[in-house]
Each structure stands twice: as C-alpha cells, then as structure tokens.
Amino acid sequence: QARAGYRTGLLHVPSPLTAERSFAPALRDVVDDGTAILVTGMAGVTTKLLIMRHPSAFGGLPSDLPKISADRVVIVANDVPERARNRERVNDLPRVAEHLEQAAGVPPTWAPISPIVRDALTPLVAGQAMLPWDWEPVIDVAAWRVERDGFVADRPVLGRHTADHWTKWPGRRRDILAAYPDDPRYDVRVLGGIATPTAVLGYQPANWTGLAFGAMSPSHFLTGLDFFVYFHHRKFTEPIGRAVLEAIAAGAVAIVPRNLEPIFGDACRYGDPADVRGHV
C-alpha cells in the first residue's frame, strides 16, 4: 500500500482470538519505519476506506474506540464461519456488521477471501452487502521468487510449512504415508513441527526432517523444496491456503486437495494423498 502511494493507519482492536498475543514483529517494523501509522488515543480518525479484520474483533462493540469517519467500510472474512476445531460459530456475523456500522457510521460490505469462504458466508449474512469479487490475499512476488534451473537434490524433495495442529494433517495413517512417503527415494521436509503426524504413525520416518515453527523463514525453507505437498484433515475446511500461495510464488510445484481448485485454478496439481507419487 505504501509503494502504491496510500497512507495506512493501524488501529488495534482486541479479539478473543488474539487476547494473549503481543504485536507481531512485522507490524512493529512497519510502524517503526513509518510505513504505517499506529492510531492511539481518542482523537478522531478520518479515512476513505476502513478495512476491518477479523470479524471476532467486533463480536461486541469496543468501548474505547476513537471517533471514526469513513467513506466506505469493508469487513474482510478471513475464514469460514464454522471452525473444525470446535464446530462453533466464531461470531454472530450480522451483529458484527451492526457493531461496525455503529462505530464507523457506514453500513459495511463483507469481503470473503475465497470462493470457499463466500459459499459459507453467504447464507449467514443474507441481506447485507457483499463484494462481487473475492478479497484475495496479496503476496510480494519479487520477495518470494526463487530462480530454479532444475531439481534441488538428487531425489525429489517434498515438504510443507504449516501449524502442527490436527486439523492441518491427514487423520489417517495411510493418507499421511501416501502424501509424505516413508521411502528413501524421497526427501520429506516439514517446517512447523511433526508431532501430529508422528503421533498418528507411532514413529518418525527416517527420510523425514522436522523443523520447529520459526526455525527458519518460510521463504528460505521453500528454496529447498521441489514439491509443496499440502493435505489436511477431512474435517477441516481450508479457507484460502496462504502457504500454498507462498509455495507457488517460490516456484515449487504445489500438490493439494481438489477443494482448493476454485482458488488456485491451473496453478496447482490436484488429487488425493494417493495421487502424490504420480504427480511427482
């Protein structure tokens, strides 16, 4: 946004999902270097466009907001309203919109980040405005690009970077081993931890390398992969697949479930875990 000539103000509104977290270092950096302005205190704020993320921040009307004057308000819906991990709706979404309208004085427009989120969101916000196009996440292509002139090793290197959570991994032993083979002809590398799959398997395959979350940057990790293989639990709905986007930007071949095809089109290879070796 700064490179495009826009001024950005950041206004922090606590959310139940981030109550115990500090500001992300990346946010502190853009404030420190002047790329964005941190809005503090109760002085009024005027903006042409107010972008609110995440809906959980306005489950109730915050009591300590400055007076906001906006020409247009957008609520970015980052996720499907029903979460697999607890099967509970994160918010009463129409009420979220009402609270934001009270705060900014303008009826907001919903902005789903993918067709998957749009389909889940539509019946829950019936009668409220929604963008006709998806608010797709952006990526700095130049920063992620990797020059490639062949495979990175003498055998196919498969891998992924995601949270080490049960929703992010296949739940069945055969699916894990189909997607991430226990086979010395393949090198399998994971950034983010492998406690979940090894608990299902009962062991760590010898050709697997597991790195803890934060052990290296995702951009550096992706330079060492030929194939980005991402399959998750059958009970989890992946809203966008940000990690897949990063892998594609870094030049890895992404092999993912078919339900992501509406998002990525012909940029990925699709199938089930059993199809991975064929794609490779």
Side-chain angles (χ1 to χ4, degrees):
Q1 289 170 199
R3 289 201 299 267
Y6 294 101
R7 297 177 66 222
T8 300
L10 300 175
L11 173 60
H12 173 63
V13 180
S15 160
L17 302 182
T18 59
E20 298 180 359
R21 299 184 189 178
S22 61
F23 268 48
L27 286 180
R28 294 201 299 269
D29 289 345
V30 296
V31 171
D32 289 344
D33 66 17
T35 301
I37 301 166
L38 184 63
V39 177
T40 59
M42 298 301 289
V45 179
T46 300
T47 180
K48 291 183 178 180
L49 176 63
L50 174 65
I51 303 170
M52 195 275 280
R53 324 177 57 136
H54 171 285
S56 63
F58 274 79
L61 184 61
S63 60
D64 56 352
L65 287 177
K67 179 176 176 54
I68 301 172
S69 175
D71 293 346
R72 190 168 188 189
V73 179
V74 169
I75 306 175
V76 178
N78 302 55
D79 208 342
V80 293
E82 302 283 347
R83 294 310 305 266
R85 70 188 70 178
N86 57 19
R87 293 182 178 273
E88 295 179 357
R89 214 171 271 174
V90 172
N91 298 108
D92 179 345
L93 297 180
R95 184 164 294 180
V96 168
E98 292 173 6
H99 290 157
L100 193 56
E101 182 176 355
Q102 292 177 48
V106 180
T109 299
W110 288 93
I113 66 168
S114 72
I116 293 170
V117 175
R118 178 179 296 274
D119 289 345
L121 186 67
T122 298
L124 300 177
V125 297
Q128 296 186 345
M130 184 180 295
L131 288 181
W133 43 271
D134 295 330
W135 190 279
E136 297 172 345
V138 297
I139 189 166
D140 188 338
V141 176
W144 287 84
R145 181 178 175 83
V146 176
E147 295 295 335
R148 296 175 182 265
D149 58 7
F151 294 110
V152 298
D154 59 355
R155 53 182 172 159
V157 182
L158 287 60
R160 52 181 281 167
H161 72 89
T162 49
D164 190 10
H165 190 274
W166 72 267
T167 59
K168 296 290 190 175
W169 287 89
R172 299 185 297 187
R173 176 188 176 95
R174 69 172 182 267
D175 290 337
I176 293 174
L177 291 178
Y180 312 98
D182 178 3
D183 184 331
R185 292 175 296 177
Y186 301 87
D187 185 351
V188 177
R189 304 176 187 176
V190 178
L191 176 63
I194 55 174
T196 297
T198 54
V200 175
L201 297 178
Y203 73 103
Q204 176 181 334
N207 63 313
W208 283 24
T209 300
L211 300 171
F213 181 81
M216 67 174 66
S217 68
S219 58
H220 180 61
F221 174 74
L222 288 169
T223 65
L225 299 185
D226 296 311
F227 301 92
F228 186 86
V229 181
Y230 175 58
F231 287 89
H232 53 73
H233 201 283
R234 292 178 296 168
K235 294 182 178 179
F236 176 69
T237 301
E238 177 60 72
I240 185 65
R242 172 75 191 191
V244 179
L245 177 62
E246 293 168 352
I248 295 170
V253 176
I255 306 173
V256 300
R258 292 184 179 89
N259 66 338
L260 292 180
E261 190 166 7
I263 298 172
F264 294 107
D266 62 3
C268 296
R269 294 296 185 96
Y270 300 97
D272 299 315
D275 299 318
V276 169
R277 291 195 192 207
H279 283 310
V280 172

